[in-house]
């Protein structure tokens, strides 16, 4: 990956990325960051749906991932599959997909390296995999970018696209690290900053910048977001927490019940999940910028 350092094998981890990549413009940054991080042994990338915004969301995301890999000249390097194209019908019924099957396949392997699955959209494929094969619960850790602010919860996009899947996961034994909305919103970046630190760096840097700018302009008529000169790279903690789990920046809490209005209800005695209070935006952004620069200019290594 043109990095000037190596990572000891004992420190490496297996990773599957589940991403609604075509929904907006921040998933792409998290995906590229993960690909450029030597600690992460990426075992597959799953294109996920993004609710009613597209009737072909999983296919759209799948094609977007392939496009990113093509721009990086890595099209054949990673396994890319499609996840479910819609939410689960209820909390007892999985949706079959190659994405759910990939999670099961990798989780059930006899491999000493720990497995993490990052979710940058809905939890559909994880819930489906668990409903099909409950034994995966103790064999992976899920990092989810989603859910409203604690303690009460609120409307949040990733959660809204499959509330039932989140209910399945939160009431399962699956190890969960949750990055709720108020925390992933901390990864604010200026468009001028991206013009200087992303756009100049190869085909992929140019695409990441221009695609985000297009989304910024396309959504200019929305009253609250975007704000004009900034964006939130809210999916990037899914990658950065694989590099450093920020051991003092989360709470272990009993997983709440999630209601249909996306509010949380305390559930005494339920298993505990990790819920982040903050993420280190400086590290997230600077590590990404440095790796992108090294990738685009390998002589700098």
């Amino acid at each position: 990956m043109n990095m000037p350092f190596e990572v000891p094998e004992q420190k490496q981890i297996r990773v599957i990325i589940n991403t609604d990549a075509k929904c907006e413009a921040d998933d792409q940054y998290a995906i590229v960051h993960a690909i450029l991080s030597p600690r992460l042994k990426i075992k597959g990338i799953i294109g996920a749906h993004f609710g009613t915004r597209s009737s072909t969301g999983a296919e759209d995301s799948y094609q977007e991932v392939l496009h990113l890999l093509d721009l990086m000249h890595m099209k054949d390097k990673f396994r890319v599959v499609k996840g479910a194209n819609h939410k689960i019908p209820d909390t007892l019924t999985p949706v079959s997909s190659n994405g759910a099957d990939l999670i099961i396949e990798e989780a059930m392997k006899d491999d000493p390296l720990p497995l993490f699955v990052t979710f940058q959209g809905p939890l559909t494929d994880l819930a489906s995999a668990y409903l099909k094969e409950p034994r995966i619960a103790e064999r992976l850790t899920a990092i989810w970018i989603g859910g409203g602010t604690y303690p009460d919860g609120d409307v949040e996009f990733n959660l809204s696209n499959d509330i039932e899947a989140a209910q399945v996961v939160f009431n399962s034994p699956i190890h969960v690290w949750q990055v709720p909305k108020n925390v992933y919103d901390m990864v604010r970046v200026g468009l001028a900053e991206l013009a200087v630190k992303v756009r100049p760096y190869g085909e992929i840097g140019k695409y990441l910048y221009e695609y985000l700018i297009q989304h910024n302009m396309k959504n200019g008529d929305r009253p609250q977001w975007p704000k004009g000169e900034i964006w939130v790279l809210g999916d990037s903690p899914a990658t950065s927490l694989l590099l450093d789990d920020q051991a003092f920046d989360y709470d272990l809490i009993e997983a709440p019940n999630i209601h249909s209005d996306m509010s949380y209800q305390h559930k005494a005695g339920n298993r505990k999940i990790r819920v982040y209070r903050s993420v280190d935006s400086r590290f997230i952004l600077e590590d990404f910028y440095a790796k992108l620069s090294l990738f685009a200019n390998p002589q700098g290594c």
Side-chain angles (χ1 to χ4, degrees), residues 36-296:
L36 297 180
S37 297
R39 183 174 193 240
L40 313 185
K41 297 182 70 171
I42 298 175
K43 296 299 182 176
I45 306 175
I46 302 167
H49 74 90
F50 38 100
T52 58
R53 287 193 183 181
S54 173
S55 62
T56 57
E59 173 69 26
D60 300 342
S61 296
Y62 169 81
Q63 292 296 337
E64 179 69 2
V65 171
L66 292 180
H67 183 55
L68 292 175
L69 294 175
D70 191 39
L71 290 171
M72 299 177 78
H73 306 288
M74 294 182 181
K75 200 162 188 176
D76 299 320
K77 189 171 180 65
F78 300 103
R79 183 176 176 185
V80 184
V81 302
K82 300 171 196 173
N85 198 47
H86 54 81
K87 69 184 189 69
I88 60 174
D90 55 63
T91 57
L92 299 176
T93 309
V95 178
S96 294
S97 72
N98 291 334
D101 291 343
L102 171 60
I103 293 170
I104 295 170
E105 176 188 328
E106 192 62 37
M108 297 310 295
K109 284 182 179 177
D110 186 14
D111 191 315
L113 295 180
L115 173 63
F116 290 80
V117 188
T118 62
F119 292 87
Q120 300 168 196
L123 289 168
T124 307
D125 296 314
L126 179 60
S128 295
Y130 172 72
L131 290 171
K132 291 177 70 175
E133 178 49 87
R135 290 181 296 169
I136 69 169
E138 299 297 330
R139 303 176 69 91
L140 63 82
T141 297
I143 300 179
W144 181 40
I145 306 294
T149 304
Y150 279 80
D152 298 324
D154 199 354
V155 174
E156 191 275 328
F157 182 72
N158 289 344
L159 174 56
S160 73
N161 286 326
D162 200 336
I163 297 171
E164 290 84 357
Q167 291 169 342
V168 169
V169 171
F170 274 44
N171 285 291
S172 77
I174 297 171
H175 304 291
V176 173
W177 300 0
Q178 183 186 6
V179 184
K181 180 174 175 57
N182 60 305
V183 178
Y184 69 68
D185 272 353
M186 293 177 176
V187 192
R188 296 181 186 87
V189 62
L191 302 186
E193 183 178 352
L194 296 179
V196 172
K197 296 187 176 181
V198 174
R199 181 176 59 174
Y201 295 103
E203 293 177 86
I204 188 62
K206 183 173 185 289
Y207 177 75
L208 290 174
Y209 174 78
E210 292 184 350
Y211 189 71
L212 189 148
I213 293 298
Q214 290 170 14
H215 270 267
N216 189 57
M217 295 303 295
K218 179 181 176 181
N219 293 286
D221 59 341
R222 296 173 63 181
Q224 298 297 326
W225 179 260
K227 296 185 176 181
E229 279 199 42
I230 73 159
W231 201 266
V232 170
L233 299 182
D235 289 311
S236 290
T239 296
S240 71
L241 292 174
L242 296 170
L243 304 176
D244 178 10
D245 72 344
Q246 298 189 214
F248 302 102
D249 296 315
Y250 63 81
D251 296 308
L252 288 174
I253 69 166
E254 293 164 321
N257 281 326
I258 301 176
H259 295 303
S260 59
D261 63 357
M262 291 179 274
S263 64
Y264 301 144
Q265 179 186 31
H266 177 65
K267 186 177 180 182
N270 199 14
R271 62 58 174 270
K272 291 186 176 181
I273 62 172
R274 180 184 293 197
V275 177
Y276 278 86
R277 298 187 303 271
S278 66
V279 290
D280 187 345
S281 296
R282 187 217 63 83
F283 167 70
I284 293 170
L285 295 172
E286 291 298 337
D287 190 65
F288 171 69
Y289 297 149
K291 286 171 177 170
L292 182 65
S293 174
L294 290 168
F295 175 72

